[in-house]
Amino acid sequence: MSELSPNLAQNGTVKNIDSSSTVAETEDIDFSKLSERPRPLTMERQRSYDERSFLSELSVGMSPRLSIRNIDSYPRNMDHFENVFSPSRRSGFNTPRSAMEVEPHPMFAEAWESLRRSLVFFRGKPVGTIAALDNSEEELNYDQVFVRDFVPSALAFLMNGEPEIVKNFLVKTLRLQSWEKKVDRFQLGEGVMPASFKVLHDPVRNSDTLIADFGESAIGRVAPVDSGFWWIILLRAYTKSTGDSSLAELPECQKGMRLILTLCLSEGFDTFPTLLCADGCCMIDRRMGVYGYPIEIQALFFMALRCALLLLKQDDQGKDFIERIVKRLHALSYHMRSYFWLDMKQLNDIYRYKTEEYSHTAVNKFNVIPDSIPEWIFDFMPTYGGYFIGNVSPARMDFRWFALGNCVAILSSLATPEQSTAIMDLIESRWEELVGDMPLKVCYPAIEGHEWRIVTGCDPKNTRWSYHNGGSWPVLLWLLTAACIKTGRPQIARRAIELAESRLVKDSWPEYYDGKLGRFIGKQARKFQTWSVAGYLVAKMMLEDPSHLGMISLEEDKQMKPLIKRSASWTF
Ligand code: GLC
């Protein structure tokens, strides 16, 4: 091990290799069964007339930036992109499409260069992108390929007609899933996907080795609940974008999905359909009061279940999972839409809640004490608009806004069309708070003082308006843009992208910004943070060609109609 030297993005270096970490030489799955080229695009023919005409309308006018600015007549609903394959017809190009067709912003080409510099190779094949290429800072684990960080990179490559790296990544991480994972003497569930991995190169033996972290090396020792969900979501994005279902159909992939599902669908003592988890098990990977039933995990859970439903085979083993997924989706959407949703009317109802109700007919089911409603929410809640709050559990509602969960709720159609519209209304009317000078606040508002001490355990990295505690993360731009397109409000995305363009390159693609308005480069932010780069690229490409949205968006399932009381403040 001591002789190993890294082969990370050609110029990465590896320090402090934890000798207790799991290290294993991995072998490639025999993928000879996989077609090298995507399957014939039979689904292409099934595009609806609406989609075809919409696409041609857009592609005619998409080249001028003007057309992006002026599309106020985007369809309110992009549902028809859901169940059709929209394979990219490009492949093998090194130059992004936009460079040829539109007059791109100069930073677009620069972003592509940065993204390519971040590639990580395993035995000569690209398998992912490094988290950050910042040589000025101590690496910690930023020299790794993070599963969640790779998602925007993967989408950028898919949108640019380069699916190979995404396939390699999916296959590699699937192999890692089968490793035995232990924290001290405790063995983790079989289905757990890694938070991150890195490639070590031994120049003497000229061999590559993978080293992965499932939470056993992570700060805080938390397993990444989101990784498995992102993996399934990405598998569907790959399938949808290429039209190649042979990867998803492989027995290894089917099994990988079933293992992830086994973990999150297992029966226990739960009284709610939401998924119970530890603090810091997702993008916010430190103690931030996001334990219990955080919105980020619930939205990703919902989306992954829906993607799995599209990908699982109806065979003996698959059938049972499909049944369980359908039941869970039903209960989960009801629970989320009813109890996590907050708008003016809901807030007023909670404000007037009676407590200590014991019966099936209780209105205040979780016994939330109205005095626990924080002051800020009364000013923050606009007359029009609403959102899914951060967490709901017995006697506890975390009223904070979390960007990722709300955007994924829109993309997965966990949010009803009305709720999606309301979320966008909220973003528009609370622009200064949620976007400010740099998109987008990971959560709002920051916690400070005594609350910060109790909730974060005095975390010096998560001081108020910094990092996970109210910091602004450029990566979230792609999620915001996707949500904007889906709800027919691209002008909001355009405004956010313009803000990002005014600073990101100048500031060398920071990981996050600090301050109430996001005016300062984050205290400990890495520069050349890959997902800041990729998030920008994906946002740009999606806005230029909204048909890309289909790979990351799911239409509303009419079977899951909500039973929620609608707020009188909503106008449609
Ligand atoms: C930080 C972020 C986490 C991300 C990692 C690598 O730990 O909180 O979400 O995956 O950096 O960029």
Side-chain angles (χ1 to χ4, degrees), residues 32-44:
S32 51
K33 280 175 271 170
L34 281 181
S35 49
E36 271 306 304
R37 300 176 57 100
R39 283 194 173 171
L41 310 172
T42 45
M43 301 304 280
E44 174 82 342

Side-chain angles (χ1 to χ4, degrees), residues 339-350:
Y339 307 125
F340 274 65
W341 183 254
L342 192 76
D343 58 14
M344 194 67 176
K345 176 175 185 310
Q346 285 282 109
L347 180 58
N348 209 154
D349 288 350
I350 299 166

Side-chain angles (χ1 to χ4, degrees), residues 131 142 146 148-149 282-283 285 467-468 473 511 529 531:
Y142 283 87
F146 278 76
R148 71 176 75 86
D149 292 42
C282 48
M283 174 185 176
D285 56 2
Y467 200 43
H468 300 138
W473 292 65
E511 180 186 12
Q529 181 80 20
W531 69 358

Side-chain angles (χ1 to χ4, degrees), residues 454-570:
I454 302 293
V455 173
T456 72
C458 302
D459 187 347
K461 215 173 165 185
N462 275 335
T463 49
R464 64 184 177 157
W465 305 114
S466 181
Y467 200 43
H468 300 138
N469 188 7
S472 306
W473 292 65
V475 60
L476 297 170
L477 193 58
W478 81 264
L479 281 158
L480 175 67
T481 303
C484 288
I485 297 175
K486 180 151 185 191
T487 50
R489 298 173 62 174
Q491 66 283 6
I492 299 181
R494 192 168 168 75
R495 222 175 130 191
I497 290 173
E498 271 172 16
L499 282 172
E501 281 177 338
S502 69
R503 293 203 55 187
L504 279 184
V505 169
K506 215 168 49 192
D507 298 343
S508 309
W509 306 98
E511 180 186 12
Y512 64 95
Y513 286 79
D514 284 358
K516 262 192 179 168
L517 292 173
R519 288 175 62 212
F520 301 93
I521 298 174
K523 211 179 351 180
Q524 293 187 41
R526 295 295 183 289
K527 301 284 183 73
F528 296 99
Q529 181 80 20
T530 304
W531 69 358
S532 299
V533 175
Y536 166 72
L537 285 173
V538 172
K540 284 294 267 193
M541 284 190 282
M542 243 184 318
L543 206 51
E544 188 202 319
D545 179 357
S547 71
H548 288 314
L549 178 70
M551 63 174 97
I552 201 69
S553 169
L554 297 163
E555 74 178 274
E556 195 195 8
D557 185 340
K558 304 282 187 296
Q559 312 255 289
M560 292 189 301
K561 272 281 168 222
L563 297 167
I564 56 164
K565 308 133 267 174
R566 286 187 179 153
S567 163
S569 67
W570 294 356

Side-chain angles (χ1 to χ4, degrees), residues 431-460:
W431 187 259
E432 184 149 301
E433 290 88 341
L434 302 180
V435 180
D437 281 6
M438 176 56 67
L440 182 67
K441 284 256 170 284
V442 66
C443 70
Y444 179 89
I447 42 178
E448 43 192 308
H450 182 61
E451 196 183 7
W452 164 79
R453 277 191 288 279
I454 302 293
V455 173
T456 72
C458 302
D459 187 347

